[in-house]
């Protein structure tokens, strides 16, 4: 039988072994709980960081306006090419606002069928920003480096400037450029826009085919001269004729009071066959023509193209012809 000291030593060893086993079990359980907790953490973090989806969006308008009477002015104008461009990191619900910020001529609802019309806001022919609804989320306008528009040997570097603070949620820069007496640009088969890249956007290049030039030739039975006509009958249908056709582009016309506000305009999508008649029932909804408030007819032939790295077809080329319709001298006020 072991002596008393021996028994005490064995008992002490047994106690130490029991403590070690308990420590190991507790440590193992603790490690397992820690792993479960770490596995759960990313899921909770992911739920907290979930945000409405954002994407890279852009709106680039290249507008060529024929010479003629300047809208809103009594003086003759001249051929003008204007470019306005915005690139943004935007909530997808706000990307459509970029079109208003670059001042696109055609606004409001799209016209579905050919040779049909809808009521619409008036045209925007200056290229300046038009205030619209405030964005739902912050709209960061990007600096994508230097931008240049080319057509054959013609080159137009765009200016970069800070966007006026229209809303507290809009910040960044815009690009603009313009050149007068620019009809030679339409002789090139394509326009090319190049950006050197920046703000996380890689260098890019986009091309768009140039449609055939467009010009209204007759309003009613009156030939258009110097961007204006007079003597067109005040009642009845309004026949329109234009001098060239292009089956590969979109053609639309806007008719309304030059001093009108809101939706005092008609917007019609046309079959590009050289002629269209605006029905009198639609014209009767417009304000009456007067000397101080003539009508303006704006014919727009356009094409859209993709830009690498940006959604949709944000590059829009508009060829615009505007004609002022004055009342006849016998009806002048």
């Amino acid at each position: 039988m072991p002596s008393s000291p021996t028994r005490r030593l064995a008992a002490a060893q047994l106690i130490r072994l029991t403590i070690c086993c308990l420590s190991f079990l507790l440590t193992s359980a603790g490690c397992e709980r820690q792993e479960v907790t770490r596995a759960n953490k990313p899921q909770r973090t992911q739920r907290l960081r979930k945000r409405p989806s954002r994407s890279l969006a852009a709106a680039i308008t290249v507008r060529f306006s024929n010479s003629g009477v300047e809208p809103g002015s009594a003086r003759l104008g001249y051929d003008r090419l204007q470019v306005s461009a915005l690139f943004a990191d935007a909530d997808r619900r706000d990307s459509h606002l970029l079109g208003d910020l670059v001042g696109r001529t055609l606004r409001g609802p799209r016209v579905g069928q050919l040779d049909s019309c809808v009521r619409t806001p008036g045209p925007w022919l200056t290229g300046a920003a038009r205030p619209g609804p405030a964005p739902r989320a912050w709209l960061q306008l990007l600096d994508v480096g230097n931008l240049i528009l080319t057509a054959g040997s013609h080159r137009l570097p765009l200016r970069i400037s800070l966007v006026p603070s229209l809303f507290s949620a809009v910040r960044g820069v815009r690009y603009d450029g313009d050149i007068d007496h620019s009809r030679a640009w339409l002789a090139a088969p394509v326009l090319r826009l190049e950006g050197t890249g920046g703000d996380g956007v890689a260098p890019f290049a986009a091309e768009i085919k140039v449609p055939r030039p467009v010009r209204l030739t007759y309003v009613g039975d009156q030939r258009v001269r110097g961007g204006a006509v007079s003597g067109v009958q005040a009642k009845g249908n309004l026949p329109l004729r234009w001098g060239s056709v292009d089956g590969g582009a979109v053609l639309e016309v806007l008719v309304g009071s030059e001093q009108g506000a809101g939706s005092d305009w008609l917007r019609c999508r046309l079959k590009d066959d050289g002629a269209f008649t605006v029905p009198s029932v639609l014209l009767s909804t417009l304000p009456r023509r007067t000397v101080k408030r003539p009508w303006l007819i704006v014919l727009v032939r356009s094409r859209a193209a993709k830009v690498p790295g940006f959604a949709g077809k944000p590059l829009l080329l508009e060829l615009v012809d505007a004609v002022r319709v004055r009342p006849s001298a016998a009806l002048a006020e």
Side-chain angles (χ1 to χ4, degrees), residues 24-184:
F24 175 78
L25 290 175
L26 290 172
T27 304
S28 299
C31 292
E32 185 177 358
R33 286 196 297 271
Q34 188 176 9
E35 290 173 0
V36 172
T37 302
R38 288 176 179 173
N40 288 338
K41 275 186 177 179
Q43 296 178 4
R44 289 197 297 268
T45 303
Q46 186 175 5
R47 287 196 297 269
L48 289 173
R49 292 181 179 178
K50 188 175 181 180
R51 296 289 187 272
S53 57
R54 299 181 68 85
S55 63
L56 290 179
I60 307 108
T61 298
V62 182
R63 179 187 299 110
F64 174 85
S65 300
N66 287 326
S67 62
V69 176
E70 292 264 340
S73 171
R75 64 188 178 86
L76 291 175
Y78 35 80
D79 295 335
R80 176 178 294 169
L81 185 76
Q82 296 172 287
V83 188
S84 297
L86 294 173
F87 304 87
D89 172 13
D91 187 296
R92 292 180 181 178
R93 297 171 297 176
D94 294 329
S95 58
H96 67 283
L97 299 178
L98 297 178
D100 277 352
L101 291 175
V102 295
R104 289 186 167 171
T105 302
L106 300 175
R107 304 170 62 242
R110 293 184 177 181
V111 185
Q113 298 180 349
L114 292 177
D115 289 347
S116 59
C117 304
V118 297
R119 297 297 294 271
T120 187
W124 194 246
L125 302 177
T126 66
R130 178 195 291 267
R136 300 188 183 188
W138 60 269
L139 189 63
Q140 180 62 47
L141 303 180
L142 305 177
D143 181 347
V144 297
N146 296 323
L147 278 185
I148 185 169
L149 184 73
T150 61
S153 60
H154 302 285
R155 297 167 58 85
L156 178 61
L158 303 188
R159 304 181 301 272
I160 185 170
S161 59
L162 292 176
V163 171
S165 181
L166 302 177
F167 307 106
S168 59
V170 180
R171 288 290 183 271
V173 301
R174 65 176 283 153
Y175 295 85
D176 293 281
D178 55 82
I179 183 170
D180 296 329
H181 307 292
S182 52
R183 182 164 295 276

Side-chain angles (χ1 to χ4, degrees), residues 5 14 18 31 58 99 115 124 177 181 193 198 208 224-225 236 271 296-297 324:
L14 180 60
T18 301
C31 292
D115 289 347
W124 194 246
H181 307 292
L193 182 71
I208 189 167
V224 177
R225 291 182 174 85
K271 181 180 179 181
L296 194 67
I297 301 177
R324 183 176 293 157

Side-chain angles (χ1 to χ4, degrees), residues 231-238 280 283-284 288-289 295 327-328 331:
V232 178
Q233 61 181 4
K235 296 182 179 180
N237 297 333
L238 184 65
S280 60
L283 295 172
S284 65
R288 188 169 64 93
R289 287 197 316 265
W295 282 2
S328 62
L331 298 177

Side-chain angles (χ1 to χ4, degrees), residues 61-66 105-106 183 186 208-216 241-254 268-275 298-304 316-322:
T61 298
V62 182
R63 179 187 299 110
F64 174 85
S65 300
N66 287 326
T105 302
L106 300 175
R183 182 164 295 276
L186 301 186
I208 189 167
K209 293 183 178 179
V210 178
R212 296 191 67 182
V214 64
R215 189 179 287 277
L216 279 163
R241 282 190 279 170
W242 53 96
S244 67
V245 297
D246 188 330
V250 176
L251 186 67
E252 298 190 54
V253 68
L254 291 147
C268 307
R269 183 182 176 191
L270 309 183
K271 181 180 179 181
D272 202 346
D273 57 4
V298 183
L299 191 64
V300 184
R301 183 174 283 156
S302 63
R303 276 200 178 118
L316 179 67
L317 173 58
E318 297 179 341
L319 306 186
V320 179
D321 190 35

